[in-house]
Amino acid sequence: MSIDKRMIDHLETLARIEFTPSEKRLFTLQLERIVGYIKQLHQVDTETAAPAGPAHPREAEAAALDAEATPLRPDDPGTCLDRDAVLDEAPESKDHLFRVPRIIER
Amino acid sequence: MGLNEFGLFELIEMVKRGDVSPFDVANDFVAAADRWEPRIGAYIEFYAEDLLAQTRRLTEAGGYESTRFAGLPIAVKDNITVRGRHTTCGSRILAGWSSPYDATVIARLRRDGAVIAGKTNLDEFGMGSSTENSAFGPTRNPWDPTGGSIRQPAAFCGVVGMKPTYGRVSRYGLVAFASSLDQIGPIARNVRDCALVTASISGWDCADATSARVDVPDFEAAVERSPERGFMVGVPWDLLSAGMDPVVADNFKTVIGALESNGVGVVDVALLHSRYAVACYYTIANAEASSNLARFDGVKYGHRARTYDDLEAMITRTRDEGFGDEVKRRILLGTYVLSAGYYDAFYLKAQKVRSLVTADFERAFERCDAVLLPTSPTPAFRFGERTEEPLEMYLSDVFTIPANLAGLPAITLPSGLTPDGMPLGVQLIGRPFAETTVLAGAAALERMIDFKGRPGD
């Protein structure tokens, strides 16, 4: 599980960031060190960690509390953002739309 | 003594008595900013003109005396949106962008009579501990101009900082970094001022699905009270043994001594899994950040690259140009721990460790009302001291992170000075939604310590 150039290339694609060659070199090294550090989590015995399912009493209690304590709001329409204010701040806009390079080939 | 040197509560009393007007106060703050900002650089944008114009208007109109904040200025960190004004998050990727909406906390502060003074500096998207990662330059510590969340900066600057329980304060309008960890809270001169601001901004908000619909107790009354008889404080010596600067250790022992001689019980508690908190936090937080920062693509707001052949290149170049190194590192790490083949080993594992950290606190609270520990393992570090190796910066969070992982309320207050004259802080962590206990304990401790230091003494 080491961080090599192939992994960084893969992550670069997933993260949608285009690195410079020197950034790639620096981040490969640094990421290797950070991942090496967080690997210590594997030392922790998580067999007894609160399971994801609702069977555990604390989970069920927490879920019940959650449902009451963080209720969904009614699905009522209301005022949204001011469209012109939003588009004024866009890098490029036209006819009440955000403008971007062509997406679909002709 | 300039008006700007009084605490918020004291100034409110002075305004309500008619000794000074909000405009007098605003004038003093603008003068103080003129004097200090060139050296300190606390603000990305200070609203000098707005502040004077608004407070002049409301001074003339009257009625401010019956509001909580009586027309006084409050600054907000620049990842909280104010309608019609810039929000940069300390990043080039949002430089020059104005928000079309107010954060809920802004609406509440204004409802309570505060005037927004400006936007303060931060590490880019909150990623860092010193503002060295801000795209707009670092902020200097007024105690030592060579050196620079809520609790760590407060401790390093000898003031009080409070992080409420997760869900206590609405995150609507807070630009998201790590959605299960982010919380808004005050930094102020003293515990009472923190209670005042926390009271204003707390409460359920239907615009934030993680906002808790629970009653908000009277936080201001809490600081007047002494803690209940039999108030017990728990010290996690196992976590502290991970390493403390001797100067921090000495000061902490003094604080414990003060508590004991004032009749507060001090017991040992075990936070077994908190030694893994930094690894756990940096896995979860960066995973969430990689998801939250995916929205910065140059399409709808902020920076857009100038040269590109297609949409893909526009996005990838925009993000490389707009984000600083630390942000990119964290997005990379977050992407890695969430990616196929690594998700179970890292992200899922970290979430399980997180529940163990929370369970440790639950057990600790069977034996005490609040957990007490230093805020930072070291005094404030100098610029450049922690930037070579990202991990070193992360490790400075070892005492603050456990409360974030467990979503608990926590407050830091000044506990003394190092022999070099730099401030130290100590923190109290409470049960979920027990801000009143934490505030009462902190107010009592504040009285016992009676910290009088000021920068430049």
Side-chain angles (χ1 to χ4, degrees):
Chain A
M1 276 201 261
S2 92
I3 310 291
D4 57 10
K5 186 182 177 301
R6 218 167 49 144
M7 173 57 77
I8 293 284
D9 286 345
H10 173 56
L11 296 177
E12 194 186 21
T13 306
L14 288 176
R16 293 292 189 280
I17 307 178
E18 184 184 319
F19 295 130
T20 64
S22 67
E23 278 176 332
K24 262 206 222 260
R25 274 192 302 274
L26 177 67
F27 292 150
T28 305
L29 279 170
Q30 290 177 330
L31 212 68
E32 174 92 54
R33 274 201 284 275
I34 298 170
V35 170
Y37 176 76
I38 66 175
K39 273 183 184 167
Q40 66 180 267
L41 292 176
H42 299 154
Q43 294 165 21
V44 186
D45 178 3
T46 49
E47 284 306 301
T48 57
H56 192 280
R58 208 168 49 220
E59 279 292 309
E61 196 188 300
L65 177 64
D66 275 347
E68 268 176 43
T70 55
L72 296 176
R73 66 172 186 262
D75 188 15
D76 297 328
T79 46
C80 196
L81 298 176
D82 176 353
R83 185 174 63 180
D84 289 336
V86 172
L87 289 167
D88 278 347
E89 292 299 317
E92 268 189 66
S93 64
K94 188 182 175 200
D95 301 337
H96 292 145
L97 300 168
F98 295 108
R99 195 178 177 156
V100 295
R102 175 173 299 284
I103 298 169
I104 300 166
E105 297 304 311
R106 276 196 226 272
Chain B
M1 188 163 147
L3 289 176
N4 64 292
E5 293 186 62
F6 286 98
L8 179 63
F9 181 78
E10 291 171 294
L11 281 172
I12 291 169
E13 297 277 279
M14 287 160 71
V15 168
K16 289 187 174 184
R17 277 198 305 266
D19 296 347
V20 293
S21 75
F23 186 64
D24 294 330
V25 175
N27 253 313
D28 242 63
F29 271 91
V30 171
D34 282 342
R35 208 160 52 238
W36 286 91
E37 272 298 279
R39 198 157 71 97
I40 304 297
Y43 285 90
I44 290 187
E45 222 175 302
F46 182 61
Y47 301 161
E49 276 175 36
D50 255 18
L51 185 58
L52 293 173
Q54 277 185 59
T55 47
R56 183 190 284 115
R57 263 201 308 275
L58 58 89
T59 298
E60 281 161 12
Y64 52 83
E65 318 82 21
S66 58
T67 63
R68 175 180 257 136
F69 294 119
L72 295 183
I74 295 186
V76 296
K77 186 167 169 175
D78 201 17
N79 55 0
I80 296 173
T81 58
V82 173
R83 184 182 180 149
R85 310 241 36 168
H86 294 146
T87 296
T88 67
C89 299
S91 179
R92 293 215 180 294
I93 213 160
L94 277 179
W97 175 74
S98 283
S99 171
Y101 71 110
D102 280 334
T104 296
V105 294
I106 298 294
R108 289 182 178 176
L109 289 172
R110 285 195 179 133
R111 170 203 66 192
D112 289 347
V115 178
I116 306 301
K119 302 293 214 71
T120 59
N121 199 15
L122 67 163
D123 287 290
E124 193 174 358
F125 290 104
M127 299 178 177
S129 306
S130 64
T131 69
E132 287 173 276
N133 292 330
S134 170
F136 303 99
T139 296
R140 286 170 168 65
N141 188 327
W143 291 77
D144 177 353
T146 57
S149 274
I150 309 165
R151 283 160 292 151
Q152 237 192 104
F156 289 162
C157 294
V159 292
V160 181
M162 169 135 195
K163 184 197 79 67
T165 309
Y166 183 83
R168 179 63 93 184
V169 177
S170 171
R171 291 184 300 110
Y172 181 73
L174 169 66
V175 179
F177 157 15
S179 308
S180 77
L181 294 158
D182 291 346
Q183 262 299 276
I184 298 175
I187 298 178
R189 284 187 187 279
N190 53 57
V191 174
R192 169 178 252 144
D193 288 355
C194 275
L196 207 55
V197 177
T198 307
S200 171
I201 60 177
S202 292
W204 180 60
D205 178 21
C206 68
D208 173 3
T210 61
S211 163
R213 193 171 192 170
V214 294
D215 288 338
V216 181
D218 189 343
F219 295 148
E220 296 175 70
V223 303
E224 305 271 359
R225 292 199 314 260
S226 297
E228 308 275 305
R229 194 197 307 247
F231 186 77
M232 299 286 281
V233 142
V235 177
W237 289 108
D238 56 352
L239 174 62
L240 302 187
S241 68
M244 275 191 284
D245 191 298
V247 146
V248 171
D250 280 343
N251 172 256
F252 187 60
K253 288 196 183 86
T254 310
V255 170
I256 292 177
L259 283 167
E260 284 175 328
S261 64
N262 275 278
V264 174
V266 180
V267 295
D268 201 342
V269 292
L271 294 181
L272 290 170
H273 299 91
S274 283
R275 80 192 59 185
Y276 299 105
V278 172
C280 184
Y281 174 88
Y282 277 99
T283 305
I284 295 171
N286 292 338
E288 294 179 2
S290 72
S291 172
N292 281 322
L293 269 54
R295 73 193 66 192
F296 298 105
D297 53 15
V299 173
K300 305 171 288 295
Y301 32 66
H303 174 68
R304 179 187 284 199
R306 293 224 196 286
T307 56
Y308 44 82
D309 293 330
D310 55 25
L311 178 67
E312 182 82 11
M314 182 195 91
I315 292 173
T316 58
R317 225 157 273 176
T318 292
R319 288 161 67 75
D320 186 56
E321 288 170 15
F323 289 139
D325 280 357
E326 183 59 30
V327 171
K328 286 179 209 174
R329 251 191 303 274
R330 296 198 190 196
I331 290 175
L332 275 178
L333 184 67
T335 306
Y336 176 75
V337 303
L338 288 174
S339 65
Y342 298 99
Y343 177 94
D344 282 2
F346 288 106
Y347 183 73
L348 198 56
K349 183 74 177 178
Q351 289 285 34
K352 288 183 180 173
V353 173
R354 182 179 190 172
S355 69
L356 292 175
V357 170
T358 304
D360 286 344
F361 274 105
E362 282 167 13
R363 261 191 305 276
F365 289 132
E366 286 165 12
R367 306 185 55 238
C368 69
D369 300 297
V371 171
L372 175 82
L373 72 169
T375 305
S376 166
T378 65
F381 42 89
R382 287 181 147 45
F383 287 141
E385 241 176 57
R386 302 272 167 96
T387 50
E388 276 297 306
E389 183 49 67
L391 266 177
E392 278 193 46
M393 189 72 88
Y394 301 166
L395 289 168
S396 67
D397 296 338
V398 60
F399 295 161
T400 42
I401 273 174
N404 290 72
L405 285 173
L408 300 172
I411 190 168
T412 183
L413 59 153
S415 55
L417 295 174
T418 68
D420 295 331
M422 292 300 288
L424 295 168
V426 79
Q427 57 174 331
L428 281 169
I429 304 172
R431 297 181 179 90
F433 299 104
E435 286 86 358
T436 44
T437 307
V438 165
L439 284 165
L445 189 52
E446 186 179 51
R447 286 189 287 272
M448 287 175 213
I449 294 171
D450 197 25
F451 179 78
K452 290 259 186 287
R454 295 199 97 98
D457 276 355

